[in-house]
């Protein structure tokens, strides 16, 4: 019952956000919407433990209802007709990333921490991640999706996951300045944000300064080849980020890794022993046919596919393919 309660609570939260955002979009007195959070995190994502727990007990509809609502919320934020201004002042992972990464404005602070760790728990980066990760410089998106590596606010700004960097202490002043705006034009909002934004410098040990090596290793077509390239790199020049990437990928679900590149959850979420027994257990045992099945239709009379509102036309930028 406890897991059902948590799923229902999160479902209610997502439903409330949907209702509020739709109401704000239709309200002519609302010029823009600021997204922020109370506490130390912006949004660490959904309670996967409760959702998977419900599904393992046979109540798959709980998870289906939640993800249906969540994906509708992600679609709404990605196609919102008014400016959305997320203030990312803390952890932003999983579902929180889907809420904040698709709009024109993405403000981060020195307290921001980004990650898409889904492969480590047997899932795969969703919430529109295939869109924004594929548009990062080089193969940085593949690196983030396959390893679940964390970025700080400076690195998010440098790679393009954020449009502005503002010190956490300046956010209240920024909010006050934004609330005095009469115009909802992006240029006017941008001018206000720029008064508080900074251009921070990356530290020498930042992972983003390893982009050349990341491109070389993560440009391969197969996960096996990416791992081999990383292992060769570790032999030639031992760097902590390479060791961490290898360790993370080897402990992740092989199926999830392959789906992440072209989503097992029990041990990481329930046993707490950090030794998940994935099935299949090795990358070479995950065939293309097995991956294809994850993209195929579902043969279940009770299953209903997500239908997004036909009247909403996504911005051209949202649909633009990566060149």
């Amino acid at each position: 019952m406890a897991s059902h309660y948590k799923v229902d609570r999160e479902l209610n939260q997502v439903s409330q956000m949907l209702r509020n955002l739709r109401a704000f979009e239709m309200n002519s007195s609302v010029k823009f919407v600021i997204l922020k959070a109370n506490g130390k995190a912006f949004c660490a994502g959904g309670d996967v433990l409760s959702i998977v727990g419900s599904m393992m007990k046979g109540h798959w509809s709980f998870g289906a209802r939640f993800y249906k609502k969540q994906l509708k919320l992600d679609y709404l934020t990605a196609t919102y007709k008014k400016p959305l201004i997320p203030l990312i002042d803390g952890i932003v992972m999983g579902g929180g990333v889907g809420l904040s990464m698709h709009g024109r404005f993405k403000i981060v602070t020195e307290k921001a921490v980004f990650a898409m760790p889904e492969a480590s728990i047997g899932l795969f980066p969703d919430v529109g991640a295939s869109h924004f990760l594929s548009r990062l410089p080089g193969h940085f998106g593949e690196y983030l999706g396959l390893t679940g590596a964390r970025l700080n606010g400076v690195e998010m700004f440098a790679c393009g996951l954020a449009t502005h960097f503002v010190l956490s202490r300046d956010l209240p002043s920024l909010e006050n300045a934004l609330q005095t705006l009469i115009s909802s034009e992006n240029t006017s909002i941008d001018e206000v944000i720029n008064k508080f934004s900074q251009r921070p410098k990356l530290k020498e040990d930042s992972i983003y300064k390893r982009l050349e090596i990341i491109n070389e290793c993560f440009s391969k077509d197969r996960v096996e080849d990416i791992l081999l390239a990383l292992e060769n790199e570790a032999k030639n020049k031992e760097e902590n980020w390479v060791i961490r990437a290898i360790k993370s990928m080897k402990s992740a679900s092989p199926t999830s890794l392959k789906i992440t590149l072209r989503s097992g959850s029990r041990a990481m979420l329930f046993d707490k022993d950090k030794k998940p027994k994935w099935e299949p257990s090795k990358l070479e045992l995950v065939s293309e046919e097995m991956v294809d099945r994850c993209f195929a239709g579902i043969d279940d009379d009770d299953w209903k596919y997500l239908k997004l509102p036909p009247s909403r036309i996504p911005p051209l930028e949202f649909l633009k393919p990566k060149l």
Side-chain angles (χ1 to χ4, degrees):
M1 289 299 295
S3 62
H4 291 181
Y5 169 74
K6 289 183 179 179
V7 174
D8 278 338
R9 184 180 62 186
E10 291 206 0
L11 184 62
N12 289 336
Q13 291 174 339
V14 173
S15 298
Q16 186 64 52
M17 290 189 70
L18 267 171
R19 286 193 295 268
N20 289 346
L21 285 172
R22 285 169 175 163
F24 295 154
E25 190 176 49
M26 298 300 293
N27 190 334
S28 60
S29 66
V30 175
K31 302 301 181 184
F32 53 84
V33 178
I34 295 175
L35 295 177
K36 64 176 184 177
N38 294 323
K40 297 181 179 180
F42 175 81
C43 178
D47 190 343
V48 181
L49 175 61
S50 297
I51 294 172
V52 174
S54 296
M55 295 174 69
M56 290 178 68
K57 293 177 182 178
H59 303 292
W60 61 266
S61 61
F62 282 95
R65 287 166 56 206
F66 175 80
Y67 283 113
K68 178 181 180 180
K69 286 283 187 180
Q70 176 181 290
L71 293 176
K72 283 188 174 181
L73 179 59
D74 294 333
Y75 180 77
L76 178 63
T77 59
T79 61
Y80 211 59
K81 297 175 182 177
K82 293 181 179 180
L84 282 176
I85 309 174
L87 306 180
I88 303 171
D89 189 34
I91 294 172
V92 57
M93 297 181 181
V97 175
L99 288 175
S100 57
M101 287 293 118
H102 297 296
R104 164 66 179 81
F105 300 102
K106 297 176 281 285
I107 301 172
V108 297
T109 73
E110 74 279 6
K111 296 180 182 179
V113 179
F114 168 96
M116 295 296 288
E118 284 80 357
S120 67
I121 56 174
L123 300 176
F124 63 95
D126 53 357
V127 299
S130 60
H131 174 83
F132 60 78
L133 289 182
S134 68
R135 283 156 176 76
L136 296 183
H139 293 274
F140 200 57
E142 285 87 339
Y143 163 73
L144 294 175
L146 291 172
T147 67
R150 296 189 174 196
L151 301 181
N152 59 40
V154 179
E155 291 166 329
M156 291 177 68
F157 178 73
C159 75
L161 283 171
T163 57
H164 299 82
F165 182 92
V166 177
L167 291 176
S168 180
R169 69 183 185 218
D170 292 332
L171 288 182
S173 298
L174 170 59
E175 281 192 70
N176 290 335
L178 286 170
Q179 289 171 13
T180 64
L181 275 175
I182 300 177
S183 171
S184 62
E185 294 294 327
N186 285 338
T187 53
S188 300
I189 296 173
D190 199 50
E191 287 177 4
V192 172
I193 299 175
N194 283 334
K195 293 178 181 178
F196 297 89
S197 64
Q198 301 185 16
R199 301 191 69 84
K201 292 184 179 180
L202 287 167
K203 294 182 178 180
E204 284 303 315
D205 62 350
S206 170
I207 186 60
Y208 194 60
K209 289 205 169 187
R210 308 297 187 269
L211 186 57
E212 183 177 348
I213 300 175
I214 287 174
N215 287 342
E216 184 177 337
C217 294
F218 286 84
S219 60
K220 316 301 181 185
D221 293 330
R222 303 192 315 150
V223 179
E224 296 92 327
D225 295 331
I226 291 174
L227 264 174
L228 181 60
L230 287 169
E231 289 170 341
N232 289 335
E233 187 63 34
K235 292 177 184 177
N236 298 330
K237 186 179 179 182
E238 186 173 330
E239 289 197 25
N240 289 334
W241 77 267
V242 177
I243 304 302
R244 288 195 299 269
I246 293 172
K247 183 178 179 180
S248 175
M249 291 178 65
K250 284 189 173 182
S251 65
S253 161
T255 305
S256 294
L257 290 175
K258 289 206 168 186
I259 292 174
T260 297
L261 189 60
R262 212 191 90 185
S263 194
S265 299
R266 206 181 81 82
M268 291 297 290
L269 293 171
F270 296 94
D271 294 346
K272 305 296 185 181
D273 58 5
K274 302 298 183 181
K275 295 179 182 178
K277 296 177 178 62
W278 303 116
E279 181 60 40
S281 60
K282 297 180 180 180
L283 286 165
E284 56 268 27
L285 298 179
V286 182
S287 67
E288 290 300 309
E289 181 184 359
M290 294 167 68
V291 177
D292 289 341
R293 287 204 298 267
C294 294
F295 294 88
I298 297 175
D299 186 15
D300 188 327
D301 293 336
D302 294 325
W303 181 263
K304 294 182 180 180
Y305 289 99
L306 176 67
K307 294 182 179 180
L308 295 172
S311 60
R312 299 189 68 89
I313 302 176
L316 292 177
E317 180 61 32
F318 187 70
L319 297 175
K320 189 184 298 180
K322 183 178 181 181
L323 299 177

